[in-house]
Amino acid sequence: MNVLVWRSLIRYPHRCMCTVTGSSSQVSQPLNYVDGQRVDPKCTQTFDLREPATGKSLRYVASSNEEDVDTAVRSARREFKAWKKFSGFERGNVLKKAANIIRMRSEELARTEVLDTGKPIYEARMDIAGCADTIDYYGGMAAGISGEFLQLSNGNFNYTMREPLGVVGGIGAWNYPFQMATWKSSPALACGNTFVFKPSPFTPLTAVMLGEIYKEAGLPDGCYNVIQGEGETGALLGNHPDVNKMTFTGSVPTGTKVMEACAKGIKHVGLELGGKSPCIIFNDSNLDNAVSGAMMANFFTQGQVCSNGTRVFVQNSIMGPFLAKIVERTKNMKIGNPNHEDTKVGATISEEQALKVLAYVDIAKKEGASVLCGGERVVPDASLSGGYYISPCILVNCEDHMTVVKDEIFGSVMSVLGFDTEQEVISRANDTEFGLAAGVFTNDLKRAHRVASELEAGSLYVNNYNVYPVGVPFGGYKKSGLGRENGPEALDLFTQVKSVYVEMGDVEAPF
Ligand code: NAD
């Protein structure tokens, strides 16, 4: 995602030069995907799917009830028996083919992601390219998943096998819908598990497309399934007795419920939850890079990014020049139709979320913060008057105890906080229940590593922010989560170890 993927798009332009077909064709089709087919669920309950860019209803989507969830899990369970017997190399080949199909269909996928999320097309293209790379990466890793051998006395030995867990259930949030489907399913499938995914009800479209792509790449029917629905459907999946692991992305309160369900069934669980990350800027850093970094830490996907560094700590001696530059550049960000090439700020996911973000700006003002720019409802043009647009906001005069500095807002609201010393900023940065990410900008090599080692977060950025090259593990400390996605770590978390002792002599029984 982001900068590294952006660079790779420039280097390999064929990755985005693909057939563009209307994303709207994705809207009318059935949105559950079970046993290799798009199907309508049995459930008659529906929810309204709205386009964030216009606020218009796209369609009503049928939810999945207990029977629908059970059908998908049974399909995954049946196919697990066959898929786990494929060699890692064979599984990897399917994934690598899927990655190439994603590259061929990248423009259609990106346009559909824009329709669902309201994020600008330039970002959606970066997301899709990163997803293809992730699947490719696990395609390459699959052949190397193996156990170990231990020589024991008298010719006896032990070996370990890395075996899949079984049926994995996934639940996603709405900010990176295709990424969540790929980040969760590709390591799970590489390890020989089968998968049932429930996307966010705000963004149901692209996870189903992934099912069709996997099928075209040769994945047997039943290995990857999608069930649509709201919280109730997610709870049915998490509580299903035949699901062996849940991998969840969303808020801390919902993650707690998923973990409780897994505790009842003694299931493996991976949680990717919220954050309120610090981005620390020392006075010796390159100011332009620090400003770029702070913007990247706050303004991708309308600020709805879990790892965002929304607490921007700036050393007091450079506060003036930092604010002058960042306010000027933030005001220049083009807010507009997310399908336009020059749009940098698209639409927030929903009316409810937009109102929540604006309410936080009001609370900040009441608690004594000042708005330097943004934090207002915007109508980019008359055709988008029903959309959920908010100008990126920079707050100053913030203090650590303020609501806006403590809560995850999940919108483009940056709180700027001054600091004087390294020890002070480390202790303030760590004073949060979250621990997803953190950034440090400095030209002092020793300080960069000293601070990185002191910060309590799963992902640390030195002189950059929110870059996710393929192969780098991602996940939270503290209440930001459990386990890791991406990198080799994910393979450990989608497998279990079987230890086999082999006796080469006679049994010396003491009785
Ligand atoms: P959410 O917790 O409201 O919903 C997430 C998913 O859980 C949705 O699919 C929802 O339908 C489902 N759900 C709701 N109730 C459920 C239940 N009882 N059992 C099972 N599933 C249930 O979160 P959201 O508003 O969709 O997303 C925003 C949150 O996600 C933020 O806190 C953000 O930080 C977090 N997030 C974290 C990461 C990460 O990688 N750490 C990435 C993206 C988003």
Side-chain angles (χ1 to χ4, degrees):
M1 166 171 134
N2 303 342
V3 165
L4 291 181
V5 174
W6 182 240
R7 283 191 195 130
S8 93
L9 281 175
I10 294 166
R11 214 174 306 141
Y12 308 110
H14 64 276
R15 288 184 177 190
C16 60
M17 301 293 286
C18 343
T19 334
V20 184
T21 50
S23 50
S24 52
S25 69
Q26 295 299 332
V27 175
S28 52
Q29 305 180 57
L31 291 175
N32 271 16
Y33 187 82
V34 179
D35 225 354
Q37 312 254 14
R38 282 182 184 259
V39 289
D40 285 316
K42 295 268 188 299
C43 182
T44 49
Q45 209 175 310
T46 58
F47 57 90
D48 186 11
L49 176 65
R50 285 180 181 267
E51 182 187 15
T54 61
K56 289 183 184 148
S57 179
L58 290 169
R59 65 172 283 178
Y60 280 84
V61 179
S63 286
S64 305
N65 62 17
E66 195 167 357
E67 187 185 345
D68 299 311
V69 174
D70 188 55
T71 306
V73 173
R74 272 193 287 114
S75 148
R77 173 59 59 193
R78 186 205 65 225
E79 209 46 43
F80 173 61
K81 292 191 187 79
W83 181 241
K84 72 176 179 185
K85 298 232 165 81
F86 279 53
S87 70
F89 180 72
E90 289 165 331
R91 289 198 295 262
N93 276 342
V94 171
L95 293 175
K96 283 187 264 181
K97 276 187 204 146
N100 284 335
I101 298 167
I102 290 171
R103 291 185 184 114
M104 298 296 292
R105 291 181 64 180
S106 65
E107 189 64 14
E108 181 195 4
L109 285 160
R111 293 283 170 193
T112 310
E113 199 82 324
V114 170
L115 189 71
D116 244 0
T117 62
K119 69 170 72 192
I121 183 66
Y122 88 94
E123 264 198 79
R125 287 188 186 125
M126 295 196 298
D127 296 353
I128 301 299
C131 292
D133 288 351
T134 298
I135 297 190
D136 226 346
Y137 172 82
Y138 284 114
M141 296 287 275
I145 299 169
S146 63
E148 290 178 349
F149 175 88
L150 182 64
Q151 184 65 57
L152 303 172
S153 58
N154 302 323
N156 301 328
F157 60 93
N158 194 94
Y159 62 91
T160 57
M161 298 162 77
R162 279 218 158 262
E163 296 197 327
L165 300 170
V167 175
V168 174
I171 296 177
W174 34 260
N175 51 347
Y176 289 91
F178 193 67
Q179 187 190 79
M180 278 172 212
T182 55
W183 280 21
K184 292 180 187 307
S185 66
S186 59
L189 292 170
C191 294
N193 303 283
T194 53
F195 193 72
V196 180
F197 186 57
K198 190 203 85 65
S200 164
F202 291 101
T203 52
L205 300 179
T206 49
V208 198
M209 295 169 77
L210 180 61
E212 292 174 329
I213 288 166
Y214 276 141
K215 183 177 175 124
E216 194 183 334
L219 187 72
D221 292 348
C223 286
Y224 174 91
N225 306 273
V226 179
I227 44 168
Q228 306 289 350
E230 299 179 276
E232 209 176 303
T233 305
L236 287 168
L237 183 61
N239 283 296
H240 195 291
D242 215 16
V243 168
N244 302 97
K245 167 170 176 146
M246 285 302 295
T247 163
F248 171 83
T249 298
S251 62
V252 173
T254 315
T256 309
K257 288 184 196 160
V258 172
M259 194 166 174
E260 281 166 2
C262 290
K264 278 190 216 140
I266 318 286
K267 292 175 188 171
H268 298 252
V269 63
L271 300 173
E272 296 288 341
L273 308 178
K276 189 75 193 178
S277 300
C279 175
I280 302 172
I281 297 167
F282 285 97
N283 59 11
D284 63 350
S285 51
N286 174 307
L287 198 56
D288 288 321
N289 285 340
V291 168
S292 296
M295 291 175 77
M296 286 169 56
N298 281 271
F299 298 145
F300 283 119
T301 304
Q302 293 68 250
Q304 305 157 125
V305 182
C306 51
S307 52
N308 268 1
T310 45
R311 292 181 296 142
V312 177
F313 289 96
V314 179
Q315 205 153 18
N316 281 320
S317 54
I318 55 161
M319 183 63 90
F322 174 84
L323 289 176
K325 276 184 191 262
I326 199 163
V327 169
E328 188 195 344
R329 284 177 58 183
T330 301
K331 281 182 176 166
N332 279 336
M333 289 172 76
K334 170 95 191 291
I335 306 169
N337 186 328
N339 273 302
H340 290 178
E341 296 294 329
D342 59 347
T343 293
K344 292 288 181 283
V345 180
T348 303
I349 192 71
S350 64
E351 178 68 18
E352 186 192 6
Q353 183 67 14
L355 293 176
K356 181 180 151 193
V357 173
L358 293 170
Y360 268 112
V361 175
D362 278 345
I363 293 170
K365 286 192 246 178
K366 282 189 193 119
E367 291 183 1
S370 316
V371 176
L372 282 191
C373 66
E376 289 173 342
R377 195 78 187 239
V378 173
V379 179
D381 71 56
S383 68
L384 304 173
S385 60
Y388 319 126
Y389 298 87
I390 297 174
S391 48
C393 178
I394 298 178
L395 297 172
V396 287
N397 299 327
C398 296
E399 290 176 23
D400 295 359
H401 62 83
M402 289 179 176
T403 311
V404 77
V405 180
K406 289 210 161 300
D407 287 9
E408 182 187 46
I409 299 173
F410 225 51
S412 287
V413 182
M414 175 195 297
S415 299
V416 180
L417 301 135
F419 74 92
D420 290 312
T421 69
E422 183 180 312
Q423 272 319 308
E424 171 207 339
V425 78
I426 290 170
S427 129
R428 289 170 61 195
N430 285 337
D431 186 16
T432 166
E433 61 181 5
F434 296 113
L436 194 52
V440 50
F441 283 81
T442 176
N443 274 334
D444 179 336
L445 190 68
K446 286 185 184 166
R447 173 151 69 189
H449 294 293
R450 199 167 53 230
V451 175
S453 76
E454 290 289 325
L455 291 173
E456 297 162 356
S459 290
L460 250 297
Y461 305 101
V462 175
N463 291 331
N464 210 331
Y465 206 101
N466 268 346
V467 283
Y468 297 107
V470 69
V472 174
F474 179 76
Y477 279 22
K478 303 198 269 190
K479 281 197 176 168
S480 288
L482 277 183
R484 291 292 174 271
E485 291 193 332
N486 286 345
E489 280 73 7
L491 297 177
D492 289 346
L493 298 171
F494 283 110
T495 50
Q496 53 196 337
V497 174
K498 180 178 277 174
S499 177
V500 182
Y501 173 90
V502 181
E503 174 63 57
M504 298 297 281
D506 292 327
V507 176
E508 289 178 20
F511 33 72

